[in-house]
Amino acid sequence: MDSFGAAANSNVPTTAEKGRRLGEHPAPTNPMVSPLLTDLYQFTMAYAYWKAGKHQDRAVFDLYFRKNPFGGEYTVFGGLEECIRLIANFELKEEEISFLRSVMPTCEDGFFDYLRALDCSNVEVYAISEGSTVFPKVPLMRVEGPVAVVQLLETPFLNLVNYASLVTTNAARHRFVAGKSKALLEFGLRRAQGPDGGISASRYCYMGGFDATSNVAAGRFFSIPLRGTHSHAFVSSFMCMDEIMDKALSSHDSSSTCEDFVSVVRCWLYKLQLSDALHGAFGETNQSELAAFTSYALAMPNNFLALVDTYDVMKSGIPNFCAVALALNDLGYKATGIRLDSGDLAYLSIKSRKFFHVIEKEFAVPGFGNLLITASNDLNEETIDALNKQGHEVDAFGIGTYLVTCYSQAALGCVFKLVEINGQPRIKLSEDVSKVTIPCKKRCYRLYGREGYALLDLMTGENEEPPKKGERILCRHPFSESKRAYVVPHRVEELLKCYWPGGSGNKREELPSLKTMRDRCMQHLDQMRPDHMRRLNPTPYKVSVSGNLYDFIHSLWLNEAPIGELQ
C-alpha cells in the first residue's frame, strides 16, 4: 500500500474504531459539511501549532455574537445539532489529506500523519439548548480541546450556527408579529440561496414557530408538516369546462357517486348568481378559472384550497371557488379555503369573509363562513404588522423571500474567540470595546423575576459559587463601571450544558427532536418581557458579569494592554 494508505501508520484508528470511541451519531444533514468546510488559515495555523509542538495545548474557545439582529433585543439559537453531528463524524479521508498535501506542499509528512489520526474524541462542547433565546456576549457554545483540532472547528461551527440562528430569529419575529392564532407557512424554497439555504430555512423556520413548509424534501428529512395548493399556471392552463373528461366523484363516505360533478358546480354557480342575499355581487365569471377549480377539486376533494386572484378576486375567483366548494359540500366534503396572492390583502380578505358568511346563512352550510383565508405575495414582518393595524380576515400567511433570505439583515456575525489556553485566561483587546473578549472559562445563568420573565443573563468564573434563588447578587456590565444592579432572582437557570463530553466523563445531554426545539423556542419567547419583544425601540436585555469576574476582566485588561509613552 502506498504512503497515503491507512496501513502506512499502524496507529491510525479505523473508521469503526472511531465510531466506537465517539459513539454512533448521524452524519451532518448536508454531505458538504466535512473537516474541509473551513478556511485555509485554519489548516495553516494547525500546522504551525504542530510544528511548534503546541497542537495538544488545551484551549477553550467561546462562540458568541456581539449584536442582536433585525434591530431587536433577542436572538434564537440554532445549529447546535449540526455542530454535534460534525464532531461526531470528524475524520479526514485519504482523498482529503491528498488534497491538503497539494495545497500545502511544504508541510512535513508527519503533519499529515497527525491529520490522518485526528478526531474529536478529546473535545468537549458545552452549549445553550438549541431553540433558546440568547443574547450578545453570552457564549452559545464553549468548545474545549487540543488547540489545533478546536481551531479546525471554528469556521464550520460558525457556518452552521450563523445562518441557522439568523433565520430562526427571523421566523420567531414573524411569529410574534402574526400572533399565536395565525398559521405561518414557509414558502421560500424557490427564492432561497441554493439547495442548502432552502433546506436549512425550512428546518429553522419551523423551529422558530412556523407551522408548515412547501418544501417536500424538508418535510421528508425533518418531519415538518407540508402545505401547498396550485399556482396561477394551473388556473390559466384551462380554457373551458369541456376540457374536463372524467367528471365523476365519489361521495366522502364512498356510499354513492356523482357521475357529473361539473353539472353540480354549474348549478351552484347559477344559484349564487340569482341569490338576493349577494345583491348581484358578480356577473359572468371566468370559465377557464371555473374549469381549473373544478378539475382541482376532482383531484383533491379532501384538500380543496384555491388560488383566487388569477383574474379578479371578487368578481370571478371567489364566486367560482364557492360554487365548487358548495358542490363538494353536497358530497360530504369540506373545502379548505382560498389563497390571495395579490392586491389589497386586508380589503380582499374582509370582503371574502363576508361573502362566505352570506353563503353560510343563505344556503345553511355550517362552517362555510370560517373557511381558511391564506395570504401570500412577498409578505414580511412589516406588512403583517401593517395588516394587523388595518384589520383583516387572514388566517394563514405564506411567507417566502423576505423570510428565508433574511432580507433585512444578511448575517448574524457570530465569532469564535480563544478565552483560555492551558488554564491561562486570554483576552483580546480592541479600541472598539464591543470587540473586547470576556476571558476565561465561564458559567452562564439566566435569572428570572417574580413575574416569571427573564431579568438578565449572568456570567461568572467557572469556580465561583452559583447564584441562588432568593439571594442578593451584584450584577455588573462587563465594561461600564457605572452600570450595575443588585438582583434577587426568583428562579435561576444554568445555561451551558454538556452536549459532547470528550474525555471529561460528564453526562451528555441528548439532542431533542425538532418539534421539542420548536416548543422550547415558543416557551422562551413567552418568558421574555413584552418591552424586550416589541418591534420598535425594544428595551435592551441586560447581560452582566459577577463582581469577581468584572474585577478579573479589568485586571487582565490592564496587565495585557501596552503602556504608552509620551515624549
Side-chain angles (χ1 to χ4, degrees), residues 33-98:
V33 178
S34 75
L36 291 193
L37 187 71
T38 193
D39 296 302
L40 178 60
Y41 84 154
Q42 308 291 9
F43 277 105
T44 60
M45 283 192 292
Y47 179 66
Y49 285 133
W50 179 85
K51 184 75 172 171
K54 286 178 60 66
H55 58 292
Q56 297 292 357
D57 285 6
R58 194 75 181 174
V60 180
F61 286 79
D62 284 349
L63 188 155
Y64 62 94
F65 60 95
R66 298 187 178 112
K67 186 177 180 181
N68 287 304
F70 310 118
E73 281 299 329
Y74 69 93
T75 301
V76 182
F77 177 32
L80 173 62
E81 179 178 343
E82 291 300 310
C83 291
I84 300 303
R85 287 180 176 222
L86 169 64
I87 64 173
N89 295 274
F90 191 95
E91 177 185 15
L92 281 154
K93 299 178 175 62
E94 286 302 322
E95 59 268 26
E96 293 171 325
I97 291 174
S98 297

Side-chain angles (χ1 to χ4, degrees), residues 18 54 97 127-128 159 165 203 254 280 397 415 420 436 456:
K18 286 186 177 185
K54 286 178 60 66
I97 291 174
I128 298 175
N159 177 268
S165 299
R203 176 182 189 173
S254 300
F397 295 101
V415 294
E420 187 175 289
V436 175
L456 56 80

Side-chain angles (χ1 to χ4, degrees), residues 40 47 98-109 112:
L40 178 60
Y47 179 66
S98 297
F99 176 75
L100 288 171
R101 280 182 182 272
S102 71
V103 297
M104 302 171 68
T106 62
C107 294
E108 298 176 18
D109 289 345
F112 298 105

Side-chain angles (χ1 to χ4, degrees), residues 348-366:
L348 291 172
S349 68
I350 291 170
K351 292 287 286 185
S352 299
R353 181 71 69 203
K354 287 181 178 178
F355 203 104
F356 296 159
H357 278 302
V358 168
I359 288 176
E360 177 175 357
K361 184 177 181 180
E362 175 75 3
F363 298 104
V365 185

Side-chain angles (χ1 to χ4, degrees), residues 208-248:
F210 273 59
D211 297 290
T213 180
S214 64
N215 185 338
V216 178
R220 178 193 170 207
F221 288 149
F222 308 122
S223 299
I224 302 172
L226 288 168
R227 295 290 184 273
T229 176
H230 59 77
S231 71
H232 295 106
F234 182 82
V235 177
S236 56
S237 70
F238 286 81
M239 298 298 292
C240 64
M241 296 285 268
D242 292 341
E243 291 180 286
I244 301 174
M245 305 306 295
D246 186 357
K247 303 176 182 180

Side-chain angles (χ1 to χ4, degrees), residues 19 242 330 381 391 406 435 500:
D242 292 341
D330 285 348
E381 189 181 340
C406 297
K435 293 190 174 183
W500 191 257

